[in-house]
Amino acid sequence: MSDPVLDRARAVFDRVVSQRRDFHQHPELAFEEVRTSGKVVEWCRELGLGMRMGVGKTGVIATLKGSRPGKTIALRADMDALPIQEASGHEFQSSIAGRMHACGHDAHTAMLLGVATVLREVEFAGEVRFLFQPAEEGMGGALPMIEGGALEGVDLILGQHMAPFQPTGTIAVTYGPAMAATDFFTLKIYGRGGHGAYPHLSVDAIPIAAQVITALQTIVSRTVDPLQAAVLSIGTIHGGFRSNVIAPEVELTGTVRTFDDALRHAMPERIERIARMVSEAHGGSHKLDYTLNYPPVINHPDGAALVERVAAEVVGAANVQRIAPSMGGEDFAYYLERVPGCFYWLGCRPTGVTEAPNLHSPHFDLDERSLLTGMHVMARAALSFLAG
Ligand code: NI
């Protein structure tokens, strides 16, 4: 049976792959996606799409209106790269030292341009809004996009992410909580410095910090319902000057991952209490700076069902998996706080490879055949929603 969407996706596939390689060679960090968004604007202009540039600094909102009024669906791609030195060895590997598209955002952006090209030639009712978002990696570019009107009148939003842990030709969906909140903190432990030979004349911040770290491990293991998910990881520890000096101060940083809103907001006080009590027990003190970062990604059942149904039609039901939530985070969460939708995984692990390097690895790589699947699923899902 012929599928006009697939035919059109096939027709634009080579161009999408070469655009992805071009983005890959020229990675740009958060809010610096000037060249990338320039290419996006060029492509969208060629398609005759309505456009707003410079949204959230480097973002682009492109609009494609159907032949009659109807619902509005937003499709989102992120554009930023990471401060990583690439080690993939590709001929099109990053031309910029210390920067790499190690999270597949080059592919997300190129695919969304492909989807726009496909939908430009198809009849539908309503509106498709293409969101080319800056700064997903840590700086929350979704928020300035939303402030810039990205979601005005939007009924549903979809986003897809490369999944090297899933085979090419598959789609993975999670209902409800899909990715965790990515909160983080800086915790300073203060003592009183002195000579290493005379500890009794000082307050040593090092053993206090060690006890605080140990006690913090009990938050997840002893205060969180075992059937709920939470992670507390200390990522850095810095303190002291040299072997014979008592450290006056230690700085710890860490990340806290949760799905449940009440638990999420209870975590700062639990960390605070342990840091305060343990520090004071030893004559020290503390200061906690806690940042509520990206909220959890919560997929709406309608959005997840739409993706699951369309993906089954496109890649076959056997290639659509429901998977467990990830403790990773995504600023797509901000969109889903405001409108229903779904963020899903696009398998990109090449055949014959059992363990592909994960996202954010300097060896990260993707099977470009997955870009055809990604375009096909996203375009069909948009059309299905607008028709339904
Ligand atoms: Ni990513």
Side-chain angles (χ1 to χ4, degrees):
M1 200 179 74
S2 99
D3 176 349
V5 170
L6 178 57
D7 294 343
R8 289 183 167 88
R10 282 202 176 113
V12 77
F13 177 66
D14 286 347
R15 188 178 170 197
V16 166
V17 167
S18 88
Q19 185 60 70
R20 179 259 157 171
R21 293 182 178 196
D22 173 71
F23 287 147
H24 195 85
Q25 273 187 299
H26 302 95
E28 295 173 302
L29 300 180
F31 293 120
E32 295 172 2
E33 306 91 336
V34 174
R35 183 184 181 280
T36 307
S37 60
K39 295 281 175 188
V40 166
V41 166
E42 252 174 60
W43 187 313
C44 292
R45 186 170 284 143
E46 199 184 296
L47 294 177
L49 304 187
M51 259 190 295
R52 285 182 45 219
M53 284 97 87
V55 185
K57 202 168 176 193
T58 45
V60 179
I61 299 177
T63 303
L64 176 62
K65 286 205 192 301
S67 52
R68 357 180 250 294
K71 292 187 286 191
T72 298
I73 186 167
L75 307 175
R76 175 271 211 167
D78 41 10
M79 302 189 290
D80 56 322
L82 286 154
I84 292 176
Q85 177 65 42
E86 178 158 5
S88 76
H90 278 306
E91 60 188 28
F92 57 87
Q93 89 168 20
S94 171
S95 62
I96 304 170
R99 287 189 203 172
M100 176 187 177
H101 269 295
C103 202
H105 299 186
D106 49 345
H108 303 164
T109 304
M111 273 191 293
L112 193 56
L113 291 169
V115 170
T117 310
V118 169
L119 294 178
R120 178 74 182 78
E121 298 165 31
V122 182
E123 152 87 3
F124 64 88
E127 179 186 326
V128 186
R129 185 97 45 90
F130 303 94
L131 310 182
F132 296 93
Q133 181 208 302
E136 190 286 319
E137 298 289 357
M139 296 180 76
L143 279 178
M145 289 290 283
I146 292 167
E147 282 153 22
L151 294 180
E152 268 163 36
V154 167
D155 299 294
L156 190 90
I157 184 164
L158 299 179
Q160 56 186 349
H161 203 292
M162 306 313 291
F165 44 85
Q166 295 283 330
T168 299
T170 66
I171 296 288
V173 186
T174 306
Y175 278 72
M179 299 183 82
T182 59
D183 305 328
F184 57 87
F185 64 86
T186 298
L187 175 58
K188 288 192 174 167
I189 306 294
Y190 301 107
R192 198 174 62 247
H195 196 298
Y198 313 105
H200 56 295
L201 301 178
S202 22
V203 175
D204 191 347
I206 300 265
I208 302 176
Q211 288 188 19
V212 168
I213 292 169
T214 307
L216 289 178
Q217 304 311 309
T218 64
I219 293 179
V220 173
S221 70
R222 303 291 85 184
T223 76
V224 176
D225 180 336
L227 298 177
Q228 260 191 356
V231 173
L232 191 166
S233 293
I234 303 291
T236 67
I237 167 166
H238 290 110
F241 308 107
R242 53 176 291 162
S243 59
N244 62 354
V245 176
I246 299 284
E249 175 179 333
V250 174
E251 185 186 276
L252 313 170
T253 65
T255 186
V256 178
R257 307 293 172 109
T258 52
F259 294 104
D260 180 76
D261 201 55
L263 176 59
R264 181 186 186 202
H265 288 93
M267 290 301 262
E269 170 52 28
R270 293 184 196 178
I271 294 172
E272 170 76 30
R273 193 172 61 216
I274 285 176
R276 182 176 66 241
M277 300 284 193
V278 174
S279 300
E280 283 178 6
H282 300 286
S285 60
H286 82 290
K287 181 169 180 283
L288 176 67
D289 278 318
Y290 200 96
T291 303
L292 294 173
N293 192 40
Y294 300 171
V297 172
I298 312 281
N299 282 333
H300 193 275
D302 294 348
L306 170 73
V307 169
E308 199 172 44
R309 180 173 52 74
V310 169
E313 288 166 16
V314 168
V315 297
N319 294 312
V320 183
Q321 290 168 341
R322 279 195 198 184
I323 59 168
S326 153
M327 297 312 288
E330 242 285 345
D331 76 350
F332 198 80
Y334 290 117
Y335 300 113
L336 291 176
E337 275 189 331
R338 292 158 175 86
V339 296
C342 180
F343 190 68
Y344 58 95
W345 297 102
L346 173 64
C348 68
R349 186 181 74 211
T351 30
V353 177
T354 44
E355 246 182 81
N358 207 346
L359 302 167
H360 295 204
S361 158
H363 297 279
F364 170 72
D365 195 11
L366 58 89
D367 183 344
E368 288 173 327
R369 289 175 308 156
S370 63
L371 274 62
L372 184 65
T373 309
M375 285 191 282
H376 193 188
V377 170
M378 195 173 238
R380 283 275 300 266
L383 291 171
S384 175
F385 176 72
L386 294 173

